[in-house]
């Protein structure tokens, strides 16, 4: 109780002292109360910044290819990957993590179909080393994860370890659609991916292929020619 009273006195004193040069301006009790609350609120923000503690309560990221989050990380939802069909020449280029319990819109008439499921294309030619070859032409799963007490999330291509001061969430391989198809983003797919279900069918849609490096404009060394591309997701 005494500490609370002392804090109020100090805050009020600072506000009044900071305004000692003010002329023809009298602070009412309500004005002083408002300024004091503003000072305390601002001080808390500045204290958080000065100590290096994150203001945000956490960060979210998509764990591509998995039905769950790393140990100790909260799962927001799990679902299936969707995206634009590989033959479409326009429209969206990013993959989406679609929840299993959608709130569907109204029926429409039109020919702008863009949201398809996604399949692994994991035959011997396009499978990153170490990944399960039984995933070929199975649908891709995903999970949205919430990591508390973090303020930043970073996917690093070409690495399987995080830089100093960062916490590893998961490692994997960079995957995307085939270079001859419509453009898609580069996604960091977990090194031990899972299928959405046991259904196997060549239904296509948005596709996931392993990708390789190509030396030239990409400097080798330090990179190597025609190797799979590792990736890691880190938080801080």
């Amino acid at each position: 109780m005494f500490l609370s009273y002392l804090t109020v006195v100090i805050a009020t004193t600072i506000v009044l002292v900071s305004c000692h040069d003010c002329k023809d301006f009298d602070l009412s009790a309500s004005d002083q109360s408002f300024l004091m609350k503003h000072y305390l609120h601002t001080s808390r923000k500045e204290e958080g910044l000065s100590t290096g503690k994150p203001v945000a309560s956490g960060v979210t990221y998509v764990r591509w290819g998995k039905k769950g989050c790393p140990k100790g990380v909260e799962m927001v939802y799990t679902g299936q990957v969707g995206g634009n069909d590989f033959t479409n020449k326009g429209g969206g280029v990013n993959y989406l993590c679609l929840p299993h319990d959608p709130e569907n819109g109204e029926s429409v008439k039109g020919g702008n179909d863009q949201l398809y499921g996604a399949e692994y294309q994991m035959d011997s030619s396009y499978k990153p080393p170490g990944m399960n070859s039984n995933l070929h032409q199975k649908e891709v799963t995903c999970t949205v994860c919430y990591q508390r007490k973090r303020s930043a999330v970073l996917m690093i291509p070409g690495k399987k370890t995080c830089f100093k001061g960062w916490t590893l969430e998961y490692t994997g391989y960079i995957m995307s659609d085939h270079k001859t198809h419509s453009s898609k983003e580069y996604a960091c797919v977990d090194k031990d991916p899972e299928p959405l279900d046991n259904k196997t069918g060549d239904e296509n849609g948005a596709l996931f292929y392993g990708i390789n490096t190509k030396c030239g404009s990409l400097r080798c060394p330090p990179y190597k020619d025609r190797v799979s591309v590792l990736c890691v997701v880190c938080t801080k």
Side-chain angles (χ1 to χ4, degrees):
M1 182 66 180
F2 174 75
L3 291 177
S4 299
Y5 174 77
L6 182 60
T7 301
V8 171
V9 172
I10 293 173
T12 305
T13 302
I14 292 174
V15 171
L16 293 176
V17 170
S18 64
C19 194
H20 75 281
D21 290 329
C22 300
K23 297 180 179 179
D24 300 326
F25 186 82
D26 293 327
L27 292 177
S28 66
S30 60
D31 291 333
Q32 292 180 26
S33 176
F34 171 79
L35 289 173
M36 181 182 66
K37 290 178 181 179
H38 175 72
Y39 170 79
L40 292 175
H41 178 69
T42 304
S43 297
R44 291 191 190 101
K45 284 186 176 180
E46 291 176 350
E47 179 183 359
L49 293 174
S50 64
T51 58
K53 296 179 181 179
V55 177
S57 60
V59 293
T60 59
Y61 61 85
V62 178
R63 192 182 189 189
W64 303 103
K66 297 295 284 187
K67 295 180 179 179
C69 297
K71 184 178 180 180
V73 181
E74 179 182 333
M75 184 176 74
V76 181
Y77 69 89
T78 185
Q80 74 171 102
V81 178
N84 207 350
D85 187 81
F86 76 100
T87 62
N88 288 344
K89 299 183 182 301
V93 299
N94 56 308
Y95 297 111
L96 300 172
C97 187
L98 305 172
H100 288 314
D101 56 345
E103 297 170 342
N104 294 306
E106 301 295 327
S107 178
V108 296
K109 295 180 180 179
N112 194 25
D113 302 334
Q114 288 193 39
L115 188 55
Y116 295 74
E119 282 185 351
Y120 295 109
Q121 298 297 307
M122 302 271 273
D123 59 15
S124 58
S125 300
Y126 302 107
K127 182 182 73 68
M131 277 194 172
N132 188 352
S133 59
N134 294 330
L135 293 172
H136 184 54
Q137 293 187 348
K138 290 186 177 181
E139 277 66 45
V140 186
T141 189
C142 59
T143 303
V144 175
C145 302
Y146 175 61
Q147 175 61 280
R148 296 180 180 275
K149 299 180 180 179
R150 300 285 191 270
S151 60
V153 59
L154 175 67
M155 188 277 282
I156 308 174
K159 297 283 289 184
K160 62 179 180 180
T161 56
C162 297
F163 292 109
K164 185 178 180 179
W166 291 77
T167 299
L168 185 146
E169 297 294 325
Y170 74 92
T171 61
Y173 292 91
I174 296 291
M175 301 186 75
S176 188
D177 215 321
H178 195 274
K179 64 182 182 180
T180 62
H181 297 166
S182 60
S183 296
K184 294 289 192 303
E185 66 177 317
Y186 294 120
C188 184
V189 179
D190 194 278
K191 61 182 177 56
D192 186 26
E194 302 171 275
L196 176 67
D197 49 37
N198 292 323
K199 180 181 177 182
T200 301
D202 190 13
E203 297 176 311
N204 293 318
L207 305 178
F208 277 71
Y209 290 82
I211 69 168
N212 304 328
T213 55
K214 179 60 180 176
C215 291
S217 55
L218 179 66
R219 294 296 182 255
C220 302
Y223 290 88
K224 293 183 179 180
D225 193 44
R226 294 189 61 81
V227 298
S228 58
V229 183
L230 298 167
C231 59
V232 61
V233 173
C234 310
T235 56
K236 185 176 183 179

